[in-house]
Amino acid sequence: MSALYSLLVYLAAPFALLYFLWRSLREPTYRDALVERLGLGAAAPSGGVWVHAVSVGEVRAALPLVNALRVRHPDRPLLMTTTTAGGREVAIQALGHRATVRYLPLDLPGAVGRFLDRHQPVAGVIVETEIWPNLFRACASRGVPLLIANARMSEGSERSYRRLQPLLRRSLESVLMIAAQSEEDAARFVRIGAPPERTRVVGNLKFDIEVEQGMILAGRAWRAAGAPGRAVWVAGSTHAGEESEVLRAHRSLLAQRPDALLVLAPRHPARFEEVAALLSTGGWRWQRKSGAASSLGGVEVLLLDTLGELVRFYAAADLAFVGGSLVPIGGHNLLEPVAVGCPTVTGPHNFHSAQVYTELSVAGGLTSVGDGQALGEAVVRLFGNSDERAALSAAGMRVLDANRGAVARLMGILRPVFKPDPET
């Protein structure tokens, strides 16, 4: 099956490269480092720690672990790989010169071999659900231990992976440890071939979220300067089909609070223009964040068309809606607004963060709505009840604090992997 898999990857590779070129028409960063998809490009310093996080959400989830690795092993180089342009940009913004950021190559034997030869990591951490047979096999043959951290698997993913069970079993048997988010995730990994003795529940990295105090203060400063005294809410990480529902909810709020301001943050930069057109044709008074004046008097909607600032606006807001949840995307990081004390609302589709969603819901740290109409009703109700907003915020904080610790447990697993740090 391994040979057949490699053949299929070789056949698919030209189409993948064409896809990246097509994406580069709207997102140039896809083109800027296309050679990295083939395992080429500038090499990182050897002997470093390598962390792979596929996209924006996984990069943000991995940052507490990355920061802990930097503290524990300050003299080791750090390599972070992503698959998407958005993930790459967030990693560069968050880590800057403290890490080398690259695209993960396609899962071709030659490409992954060149990647490992160029960077020579001492160990690798794969975040969440990335299983690449050729990459895993190449790491095993070179003695590069791999850890799957924050491992999660939905029921749908398990059904898909079971068709490839013989191939995946061999890949997962080469992994040092599969550190699952929950008992359900661990069981699903075992059912697709992971060794039970190397699969354990470690917890969810997202609960170890770290928000710099400077980010919170910057959000409050923006609020004081740009929207003093106004009712401000954020719709973060929205997808197609959600913006129209969010705007309908904002119409309802404006009927009660004419001073209300919505900060609308589409998940993908490629959709900024699409959402801008929706605002223009809808007759909204709006501005782009990238070109907004210091004062937003008269502006009803601020389009957040920049990356890396969403948490700052959560910190500035009275209320947050987290997107990817009114449509069946699976939801995004509910803990980002919770971590800055922002009362949080979500839709019904949160299967990518089922544990977080359940913990928050049971504790009363989250308001869940079934559709766009219910979103409008919830937003109006919550802006009319400061005590309810405060209770949501406090309950969310309690859930966050009660579930921290995954980073420390992962560091314990990784401790035997590292030889003494190289001398400076």
Side-chain angles (χ1 to χ4, degrees):
M1 182 172 274
S2 296
L4 176 61
Y5 168 80
S6 294
L7 174 61
L8 292 174
V9 175
Y10 273 115
L11 292 174
F15 298 98
L17 293 173
L18 286 172
Y19 169 77
F20 294 136
L21 284 172
W22 174 75
R23 288 291 299 268
S24 72
L25 297 176
R26 290 188 295 178
E27 298 176 73
T29 50
Y30 273 96
R31 180 180 61 248
D32 294 344
L34 194 60
V35 294
E36 294 174 13
R37 307 286 187 179
L38 298 175
L40 300 170
S46 61
V49 183
W50 160 43
V51 178
H52 173 67
V54 61
S55 191
V56 173
E58 291 80 7
V59 169
R60 288 174 176 159
L63 288 176
L65 176 61
V66 169
N67 290 332
L69 287 166
R70 289 182 56 249
V71 170
R72 177 76 61 82
H73 305 283
D75 297 323
R76 285 203 179 277
L78 178 64
L79 169 67
M80 177 164 256
T81 58
T82 73
T83 300
T84 69
R88 180 187 179 95
E89 289 187 32
V90 168
I92 290 171
Q93 288 179 359
L95 299 172
H97 66 278
R98 295 170 293 176
T100 301
V101 180
R102 297 284 186 266
Y103 282 123
L104 187 73
L106 300 174
D107 200 35
L108 300 164
V112 298
R114 288 188 293 271
F115 167 79
L116 292 172
D117 289 343
R118 272 176 162 73
H119 303 300
Q120 298 183 18
V122 68
V125 179
I126 310 296
V127 177
E128 297 204 358
T129 325
E130 296 280 288
I131 304 173
W132 297 109
N134 285 327
L135 176 64
F136 283 31
R137 188 179 307 114
C139 288
S141 68
R142 287 167 169 77
V144 179
L146 287 180
L147 169 72
I148 302 180
N150 220 40
R152 66 174 175 86
M153 183 169 295
S154 66
E155 291 182 15
S157 295
E158 181 188 351
R159 287 194 297 269
S160 299
Y161 280 135
R162 278 187 176 182
R163 301 187 186 101
L164 301 172
Q165 192 172 33
L167 179 65
L168 295 179
R169 178 181 290 110
R170 182 178 176 186
S171 299
L172 294 172
E173 285 175 348
S174 68
V175 174
L176 170 72
M177 184 65 66
I178 298 166
Q181 293 184 19
S182 68
E183 295 285 355
E184 292 81 3
D185 293 310
R188 288 172 185 145
F189 269 93
V190 169
R191 286 197 293 267
I192 68 165
E197 69 277 8
R198 278 185 269 151
T199 304
R200 71 172 68 167
V201 178
V202 173
N204 194 330
L205 282 175
K206 291 181 180 178
F207 284 111
D208 284 346
I209 183 172
E210 301 168 354
V211 180
E212 295 180 4
Q213 187 65 20
M215 183 77 76
I216 297 174
L217 294 176
R220 292 173 180 168
W222 171 86
R223 173 75 177 267
R230 299 181 65 178
V232 179
W233 69 298
V234 176
S237 299
T238 58
H239 289 255
E242 290 186 310
E243 288 90 8
S244 59
E245 298 299 327
V246 166
L247 290 171
R248 185 168 66 155
H250 194 46
R251 290 272 189 213
S252 299
L253 180 61
L254 286 169
Q256 304 294 321
R257 298 286 300 269
D259 67 333
L261 174 66
L262 166 66
V263 180
L264 183 55
R267 175 70 171 183
H268 297 117
R271 298 191 60 248
F272 289 161
E273 294 307 316
E274 174 189 339
V275 178
L278 179 66
L279 292 169
S280 294
T281 58
W284 292 92
R285 297 194 299 273
W286 68 282
Q287 287 189 25
R288 297 174 184 269
K289 166 59 177 64
S290 58
S294 57
S295 175
L296 295 170
V299 174
E300 297 169 323
V301 182
L302 178 66
L303 176 60
L304 187 55
D305 60 346
T306 56
L307 290 174
E309 294 192 278
L310 182 56
V311 174
R312 177 160 76 96
F313 282 91
Y314 283 148
D318 301 299
L319 186 70
F321 165 73
V322 179
S325 59
L326 283 179
V327 292
I329 298 296
H332 294 299
N333 194 344
L334 296 167
L335 294 174
E336 287 181 334
V338 168
V340 294
C342 187
T344 303
V345 181
T346 187
H349 303 288
N350 281 279
F351 49 84
H352 286 323
S353 303
Q355 179 203 9
V356 173
Y357 173 78
T358 300
E359 294 265 359
L360 288 170
S361 297
V362 169
L366 183 72
T367 292
S368 182
V369 297
D371 54 30
Q373 180 177 343
L375 173 63
E377 294 169 356
V379 168
V380 170
R381 186 188 77 249
L382 287 166
F383 269 103
N385 191 332
S386 59
D387 289 341
E388 186 178 357
R389 295 202 309 273
L392 280 172
S393 176
M397 278 292 190
R398 288 194 294 271
V399 171
L400 189 65
D401 291 340
N403 286 277
R404 291 185 184 276
V407 168
R409 290 186 284 273
L410 285 169
M411 293 300 291
I413 293 171
L414 285 168
R415 185 178 293 113
V417 170
F418 296 103
K419 298 176 183 177
D421 281 350
E423 296 182 359
T424 57

